[in-house]
Amino acid sequence: MTTRHDGHGALSRFRAVPGIRAVSAYRREWLVKDLVAGVVLTTLLVPQGMAYAELAGLPAITGLYTTILCLLGYAVFGPSRILVLGPDSSLGPMIAATVLPLVAAGGDPDRAVALASMLAVMVAAIMILASVAKLGFIADLISKPTMIGYMNGLALTILIGQLPKLLGFKVEADDLIGECAGLVRKIAEGATVPAAAAVGLGGIALILVLQRFLPKVPAVLVMVVLAIAAAAVFDLDEHGVGLVGVLPEGFPPFTIPDVRLADLAPLLGGALGIALVSLADTISNASAFAARTGQEVRGNQEMAGVGAANLAAALFQGFPVSTSGSRTAVAERAGARSQLTGVVGAALIVLMLVLAPGLFRNLPQPALAAVVITASLSLADVPGAVRLWRQGRAEFLLCSAAFAGVALLGVLPGIAIAVGLSVLNVFRRAWWPYDTVLGRVRGLEGYHDIRSYPRAEQLPGLVIYRFDGPLFFANARTFRDEVRRLAGAEPRPSWIVVAAEPMTDVDTTAADVLEELDEALNAQGVHLVFAEMKDPVRRKIERYELTRTIDPRHFFPTVEAAVTAFRLRTGARWASSDAGGPPAGPSAGPEPGSTGTAPAGGK
């Protein structure tokens, strides 16, 4: 019985692998569509793979090795039916920023490849560990405004970095300002190669025009074919235009990256940043395409799939990869129904390397620069930044700071700044949550913000105060100071009712502040009352033994119950309010009693 159970368990685990499940659920009518989509996708995978490898500071062939293995790895372990992985324009600068400082000037390209492969191993380990620990929520560490700023800065960095290659010369610089200065200087010195500029600028124009007016035409493929033809017809290499040359023949061997022990620490820093960006890309792309295909997003499985893809690429001279929204969209438009599309793409690239390694030997380097630059333009979201300027200046400042971090300090510091700013923004919102005084508005149920309704009615002697956030160590004194201000206004109120429904937590520091505040208010003849406090928060209040100081009768299930109790005790009548402070009118003296109260409840 035990043997049968173990065998059944092993078989179940085997069938739980996404690729095995996909094969068992595959439909025959999908086959033709997947094959066609695979052929179409390959026309984009090859030039982009080569271009993004050079963007990462690596030989173009490594982009093809990476593309092959990551597609196969994700096909086996990735849960999405059509998500496409591969070398990515957003990761290229991060890989270069991590690897190139570890390679001496003019150093061995084999060492750069080994470092990039070890980087992919680390990214794979981080993603798989994050999947096991169910840490998919980490992708939320980068807010939308900071991501817009980061991507705009990255797009500018890529654009400036690729312009020299587009124009046929090189610029040696360590930062964006240096690259801009070198670019202007070289152009002024006449270093531009006219033939290279014609190929590069013409390639950009052709891709953008085709994408705009003929979106179903494979724009990158058309541009690459025309560029290769132009190189052969016009002998562009004799006019100073660099060509890709013949690629190494055959499939890459299984290779365990060999790096120095001293390289591991700087590689780990880059791997953490790359994993975070890759995770954010993966979750967002998976969510977008799952909604269109009727699938559910399985974030932790997605991380495992991306980790497996990175590991597969790393063991065959590849570098870190991520999901690609543009390539996935191409596959979807071409009719892809399953990961067989990616497998077909990988197989066709292998056939090209084995049977026709010289197919792209006449591809001009400026054409690859054009591919990268058009990809960088798709990363930028200038309308998004403008929208932030119009809708929220604070978030626009976050966006601008993230942009400046990438542009001025570099890609890796930029991602650290983006994450840091996102976390600080969350903390800022919790530190200074919105608070207001509430009043009654004729014709509307409930109690409403007197800033929005300046003529809202209030009861003389009563202030209804709402604090829209958890009460914890960072904002407890802010809460205390505002309550003290309300209590010290003239005429002095006798009750301050805290509408506590938005108050999701009270920590020990805040509990001490509440105890001191209640004692100080009682000495002034002002009573602190709570309404609509959530049950978990009320239980914490009791656990902190705050009810020794705060009378248990000062907790009401609703604001209406607190108002009714106050009116029964004082006979107060509603009065129109000015939005600037607590209600006018004589103070109401008696302390609240049990009359008119209800047991404290929560929502």
Side-chain angles (χ1 to χ4, degrees), residues 10 55 145 233 409:
L55 177 62
V233 172
L409 300 180

Side-chain angles (χ1 to χ4, degrees), residues 159-184:
L159 175 64
I160 299 299
Q162 291 294 304
L163 280 176
K165 185 176 177 181
L166 188 88
L167 301 176
F169 55 79
K170 292 183 179 180
V171 170
E172 299 294 337
D174 296 327
D175 54 35
L176 184 66
I177 294 177
E179 288 182 341
C180 290
L183 178 65
V184 172

Side-chain angles (χ1 to χ4, degrees), residues 197-578:
V199 171
L201 295 174
I204 292 174
L206 181 61
I207 291 174
L208 294 179
V209 168
L210 289 178
Q211 287 178 341
R212 175 66 178 84
F213 297 104
L214 297 171
K216 293 186 177 181
V217 173
V220 172
L221 175 64
V222 172
M223 188 276 292
V224 166
V225 170
L226 291 177
I228 292 173
V233 172
F234 298 107
D235 296 323
L236 293 180
D237 57 330
E238 296 182 3
H239 291 80
V241 179
L243 304 179
V244 170
V246 178
L247 299 174
E249 184 176 351
F251 196 74
F254 177 85
T255 307
I256 296 178
D258 182 16
V259 300
R260 302 168 189 164
L261 189 61
D263 295 330
L264 296 181
L267 286 177
L268 179 59
L272 289 170
I274 290 169
L276 183 58
V277 172
S278 179
L279 176 58
D281 275 349
T282 298
I283 298 300
S284 60
N285 284 323
S287 300
F289 287 98
R292 283 146 67 166
T293 58
Q295 286 186 279
E296 292 184 4
V297 177
R298 296 186 288 274
N300 293 313
Q301 284 192 15
E302 287 291 357
M303 284 189 288
V306 175
N310 274 281
L311 183 60
L315 297 178
F316 290 86
Q317 301 180 24
F319 51 84
V321 298
S322 181
T323 57
S324 169
S326 61
R327 275 163 281 184
T328 304
V330 168
E332 183 187 47
R333 287 197 301 267
R337 292 294 182 270
S338 75
Q339 285 297 327
L340 180 59
T341 296
V343 173
V344 171
L348 290 175
I349 296 173
V350 171
L351 289 175
M352 184 198 77
L353 292 177
V354 171
L355 302 179
L359 186 62
F360 288 91
R361 66 179 181 275
N362 288 329
L363 177 60
Q365 291 286 354
L368 290 180
V371 173
V372 173
I373 287 174
T374 53
S376 74
L377 296 178
S378 68
L379 291 177
D381 187 5
V382 176
V386 173
R387 186 172 63 252
L388 289 175
W389 169 258
R390 292 173 178 168
Q391 295 177 351
R393 300 298 169 85
E395 294 195 326
F396 176 77
L397 289 176
L398 287 174
C399 174
S400 300
F403 173 83
V406 177
L408 300 179
L409 300 180
V411 176
L412 291 178
I415 189 64
I417 289 172
V419 173
L421 288 173
S422 294
V423 173
L424 285 175
N425 189 39
V426 172
F427 192 68
R428 177 188 67 84
R429 291 174 182 274
W431 196 341
W432 295 298
Y434 185 78
D435 64 339
T436 188
V437 172
L438 305 181
R440 189 181 73 165
V441 179
R442 293 186 183 277
L444 293 178
E445 292 185 2
Y447 298 88
H448 303 276
D449 189 340
I450 65 171
R451 295 191 182 106
S452 300
Y453 299 92
R455 300 193 62 80
E457 297 175 331
Q458 297 191 39
L459 284 173
L462 174 72
V463 174
I464 305 173
Y465 173 61
R466 193 182 72 208
F467 188 80
D468 290 354
L471 199 58
F472 68 113
F473 67 92
N475 63 23
R477 288 169 180 80
T478 302
F479 174 87
R480 178 197 63 191
D481 293 345
E482 183 60 20
V483 171
R484 281 179 174 175
R485 187 190 72 80
L486 293 170
E490 290 295 340
R492 187 183 303 275
S494 64
W495 280 31
I496 296 179
V497 176
V498 179
E501 196 274 337
M503 199 175 289
T504 55
D505 193 20
V506 175
D507 71 1
T508 54
T509 302
D512 291 341
V513 170
L514 282 177
E515 184 174 11
E516 295 171 2
L517 176 63
D518 188 61
E519 290 175 347
L521 292 179
N522 287 341
Q524 300 174 32
V526 180
H527 303 291
L528 190 62
V529 178
F530 293 89
E532 299 184 359
M533 181 173 281
K534 296 178 183 296
D535 287 337
V537 180
R538 175 67 190 275
R539 285 194 290 269
K540 278 194 171 185
I541 292 288
E542 293 171 348
R543 191 161 64 247
Y544 297 148
E545 299 182 349
L546 278 181
T547 49
R548 293 176 309 173
T549 304
I550 304 176
D551 193 325
R553 295 173 300 172
H554 292 180
F555 293 87
F556 292 86
T558 64
V559 173
E560 185 62 47
V563 170
T564 300
F566 180 80
R567 294 187 68 191
L568 286 174
R569 298 293 295 175
T570 65
R573 295 174 176 272
W574 290 102
S576 181
S577 168
D578 294 325

